Amino acid sequence: MRIDVLGAVRAFHDDGGPVGLGGPRHREVLARLVAAEGRMVTTDTLVCDLWSDPPARAVGAVRTFVAALRRALEPDRPPRVPPRVLVTEGPGYALRLPRADVDVHRFEDTLARARRDPGAVTGLGTVLAAWRGSAYADVTGSAWAQRERTRLEELRLEGVELRARILLDSGEGADLVAELGAHVGEHPWREPAWELLARALHRAGRQADALATLRRARAMLADQLGLDPGAGLGRLETGILNGTVPGADPRTPWTGSGVRLGPRTTVDLARTLALAGGDALVHSRRDRLAAVRAAERTGDLLLTARVIGAYDVPALWSRADDPEQSRAVVEAAERTLTALGADCPTDLTARLLATVAVESRSAGLSASELEHARQAARKAEELARELADPALLAFALNGVFLQSFTRPGLAAVRDGIGAEILGPATRHGLPNFAVLGRLVRLQSASALGDLDAAASHAEAAERLAALTEAPLVSVLTGWFRARVTAARSTEPGGPSAATAAAHYRVAEEALRTAGMPGLHRGLFPLALLGLRLLHDRPAPTDPRLDWGPYLPWARPLVLLAQDRDEQARAALAAVPEPPRDHMQEALWCLTARAAVQLGERGIATRAAAALGDARAEHAGAACGMLTLGPVTRYLAEAEACAEAG
């Protein structure tokens, strides 16, 4: 079957016949499940989304709507056979349809493919043409639908512009003038639209009209907004005046000479790719290092400094995905700083120092290296403040954040850093760093057990991500919601532990292809272990679990769960001090729990001393993605063990 929501909500059977969806509330329930993209939506959420003031029998009404929709969507389903399309899952419902069978998912996936592969432009044109009006057009008066309409309309506009850009870059697009003229007329504040219209006019041989369009854009921005046009409009005007415009290959300079991108342009492209996640993120790292090495080969120190410092991609996780590359970038930054010495411009010095701070987050760094990275972070922040450069300050504060894991118990400090990043990023239109600030604050609130504040930051981050097309954000917030489910599984009337585990599994599947191995490896088993500890159950012993970097701390508890006490004791004796990262409180709590169960007073004493300053926090929750429960629980056990005997 097929479901369409890019316009009024409707559905069709395999034979093309329409599905009778019932009244407005029935269609809204179906639409809300479509918007969840296959994730479970709780009955409580559906009630809140359908009614601003829910009636007394709202839950029963939702169940009635769901039952009617099931009959409409699967009319031939025999009695007592479980539904396959609209399924019950835990405390709510989920829609199970291939993404290709839902127009909005088909649109979003095609847009994502076109961003990675210009060859997908034909499919992009097809899905754009399938829009029949505003998304969820007949779902009126619902806040969730309005948010989705706003998000999807922004994606549609970007899709229109992406399609035009790909066609123009490939040597086509002269026939886009009318379409882009209407687009600019409807959305005059979108600078990329003006640029594309001017390029289409130029491609059609109308150079004078193209220049007039650019001047009209400049006048509109200046007169109505008091803004100067962006660099893209200026470069295009210069290119038209000089007779040079973008060539057929979007990865070549505007000279049309076929020369490949220089290192600075390559790193700018890499920075853009890094925000896309998945394979694009992997390619981004590769291209970034290649650009740094190419810049060094030129012998131009200032160029090298600019290339290294240009990759100001927000970084949230305290462990590098590619430690060897991170070390190579740090070494290149250090070499460049040393070679330039006092001749290095202040802004480039700050960028190089911030790069050192951001990239010096790999496991295995010595104490002196970590201290050097912390000093680099603080100096970069100081210089950025002196320069009053908001973008540079946000990048420098990113380094300060990543160097703020010096000991357990610093969640409140990190929340302050997140607020400092968020302030200038919001005021000065830096959406990617605004997302970072929100996620840092989400993590900090999660660590402090303030789930309402964390949820607010998660929602704000998702709204920003919808505008900037940052798909990794939803991966992280999906994990946060699984962490919330796990915490609430211990409350009376809360979700079951099995439901929490299922939520973690869904989050794990999304993370698996996100292109962040430094975050991914071992996270799911650690989450399951935390869930079991919350319910006073032994550690999971499935040999297929990949514990990744967390194995030394999990192994004693796994062995205890297998009644292999002596081997567990030996494993505990070999456990190192946790690295200074997002998981240090969690790993100290695992050590404390194993020490208590084995009666190892000395190790329990060390764990209690390490955790003392984190007694108000929740173990593992500093990552915003899982929880082992309150630190105070493990701390009290360790202190009691240390004092016993």
Side-chain angles (χ1 to χ4, degrees):
M1 66 175 304
R2 190 181 90 236
I3 294 177
D4 294 343
V5 298
L6 298 179
V9 179
R10 63 186 189 180
F12 300 90
H13 291 298
D14 286 342
D15 60 6
V19 175
L21 295 176
R25 292 299 191 192
H26 296 78
R27 292 196 300 277
E28 184 170 359
V29 169
L30 181 63
R32 181 63 183 84
L33 294 173
V34 166
E37 298 191 271
R39 296 186 296 272
M40 181 269 290
V41 181
T42 67
T43 303
D44 289 346
T45 297
L46 287 170
V47 167
C48 292
D49 283 344
L50 264 64
W51 292 281
S52 57
D53 184 14
R57 298 184 178 180
V59 171
V62 167
R63 290 172 178 157
T64 299
F65 299 150
V66 168
L69 284 169
R70 282 171 169 165
R71 289 192 297 272
L73 296 173
E74 297 183 76
D76 299 326
R77 179 169 57 90
R80 293 184 293 281
V81 172
R84 294 182 296 111
V85 177
L86 204 171
V87 303
T88 300
E89 183 178 293
Y93 305 98
L95 193 66
R96 293 283 183 260
L97 276 179
R99 290 181 66 82
D101 292 341
V102 182
D103 64 349
V104 65
H105 301 159
R106 195 163 59 246
F107 163 71
E108 291 181 287
D109 293 348
T110 304
L111 177 59
R113 279 196 300 275
R115 290 194 172 280
R116 297 191 301 268
D117 177 15
V121 68
T122 301
L124 180 57
T126 300
V127 295
L128 285 168
W131 280 66
R132 297 169 290 108
S134 298
Y136 306 103
D138 52 347
V139 182
T140 57
S142 293
W144 75 264
Q146 185 54 49
R147 288 195 299 270
E148 277 295 289
R149 272 193 290 273
T150 301
R151 181 182 74 85
L152 290 168
E153 176 62 12
E154 180 65 24
L155 291 182
R156 187 187 71 81
L157 297 178
E158 293 183 8
V160 168
E161 292 164 6
L162 174 62
R163 174 176 172 269
R165 183 172 294 108
I166 292 172
L167 291 172
L168 288 164
D169 286 348
S170 67
E172 304 177 35
D175 57 348
L176 291 171
V177 171
E179 177 184 334
L180 289 171
H183 181 62
V184 164
E186 293 175 12
H187 310 283
W189 315 120
R190 295 181 71 87
E191 286 189 54
W194 288 97
E195 180 181 346
L196 291 165
L197 174 58
R199 287 183 63 187
L201 287 163
H202 181 271
R203 182 59 49 79
R206 299 166 56 182
Q207 285 83 352
D209 287 340
L211 290 170
T213 293
L214 292 172
R215 288 163 188 155
R216 194 163 74 252
R218 179 186 294 110
M220 184 273 300
L221 290 169
D223 294 346
Q224 299 190 36
L225 297 179
L227 297 175
D228 292 327
L233 293 180
R235 283 196 301 268
L236 179 56
E237 184 173 23
T238 301
I240 292 173
L241 290 169
N242 294 338
T244 57
V245 292
D249 180 0
R251 289 181 58 96
T252 59
W254 281 18
T255 61
S257 62
V259 177
R260 289 192 63 79
L261 290 169
R264 176 60 190 268
T265 309
T266 299
V267 85
D268 286 343
L269 175 63
R271 176 174 52 186
T272 302
L273 287 173
L275 301 171
D279 291 343
L281 179 55
V282 175
H283 292 313
S284 163
R285 298 191 192 102
R286 179 201 63 197
D287 292 347
R288 184 256 187 115
L289 185 56
V292 170
R293 288 171 173 164
E296 285 197 292
R297 286 196 295 271
T298 68
D300 185 333
L301 291 172
L302 288 175
L303 171 65
T304 302
R306 288 195 296 271
V307 168
I308 294 171
Y311 193 86
D312 53 355
V313 175
L316 183 70
W317 191 239
S318 51
R319 184 183 303 110
D321 289 312
D322 187 339
E324 291 184 5
Q325 188 200 92
S326 292
R327 184 174 287 276
V329 171
V330 168
E331 290 171 352
E334 298 279 18
R335 283 194 299 270
T336 306
L337 278 167
T338 300
L340 283 170
D343 294 330
C344 188
T346 304
D347 63 325
L348 290 182
T349 298
R351 285 194 169 274
L352 291 171
L353 289 170
T355 299
V356 169
V358 168
E359 297 298 335
S360 295
R361 53 195 169 109
S362 303
L365 292 180
S366 67
S368 62
E369 288 173 322
L370 288 171
E371 180 56 33
H372 177 69
R374 285 193 288 274
Q375 291 176 1
R378 290 300 180 189
K379 184 62 177 176
E381 178 191 5
E382 177 186 328
L383 294 175
R385 291 189 188 280
E386 290 175 2
L387 292 167
D389 183 331
L392 181 55
L393 178 59
F395 184 34
L397 287 170
N398 195 172
V400 173
F401 163 71
L402 290 169
Q403 297 301 325
S404 66
F405 294 86
T406 52
R407 60 175 175 80
L410 293 175
V413 171
R414 290 193 289 276
D415 187 56
I417 298 170
E420 280 209 89
I421 293 172
L422 186 58
T426 301
R427 289 193 299 273
H428 297 280
L430 305 170
N432 294 321
F433 278 103
V435 168
L436 174 68
R438 289 292 184 185
L439 292 176
V440 169
R441 300 205 69 188
L442 180 159
Q443 290 181 340
S444 306
S446 170
L448 294 168
D450 189 347
L451 297 184
D452 290 338
S456 176
H457 290 304
E459 291 166 4
E462 288 169 337
R463 288 194 295 271
L464 286 166
L467 296 175
T468 59
E469 292 194 54
L472 298 181
V473 171
S474 63
V475 175
L476 301 175
T477 55
W479 269 92
F480 165 69
R481 292 189 172 91
R483 170 258 189 273
V484 172
T485 304
R488 290 182 172 156
S489 70
T490 63
E491 299 173 359
S496 67
T499 296
H503 283 213
Y504 274 138
R505 288 189 179 91
V506 171
E508 153 72 2
E509 182 59 27
L511 182 58
R512 185 178 58 82
T513 57
M516 297 183 286
L519 173 59
H520 175 243
R521 280 205 68 211
L523 193 67
F524 179 57
L526 190 61
L528 292 184
L529 173 55
L531 182 60
R532 284 174 170 263
L533 292 174
L534 286 173
H535 290 270
D536 295 315
R537 297 177 60 194
T541 58
D542 187 338
R544 296 170 295 181
L545 290 175
D546 176 10
W547 291 93
Y550 310 119
L551 180 60
W553 295 272
R555 184 170 172 76
L557 291 174
V558 172
L559 291 168
L560 281 168
Q562 297 169 329
D563 295 324
R564 298 160 67 185
D565 290 15
E566 290 311 308
Q567 290 167 287
R569 197 179 304 279
L572 179 62
V575 165
E577 183 172 314
R580 297 171 180 179
D581 61 17
H582 278 86
M583 291 301 185
Q584 58 185 321
E585 290 89 354
L587 302 185
W588 273 119
C589 286
L590 296 183
T591 300
R593 174 57 61 89
V596 168
Q597 291 190 3
L598 290 166
E600 292 288 344
R601 293 176 54 201
I603 297 176
T605 300
R606 288 205 309 275
L611 290 169
D613 291 337
R615 66 177 65 247
E617 298 185 13
H618 287 237
C623 66
M625 301 172 80
L626 57 85
T627 181
L628 279 63
V631 167
T632 185
R633 176 187 182 192
Y634 300 89
L635 180 58
E637 291 177 355
E639 288 174 338
C641 178
E643 295 168 2

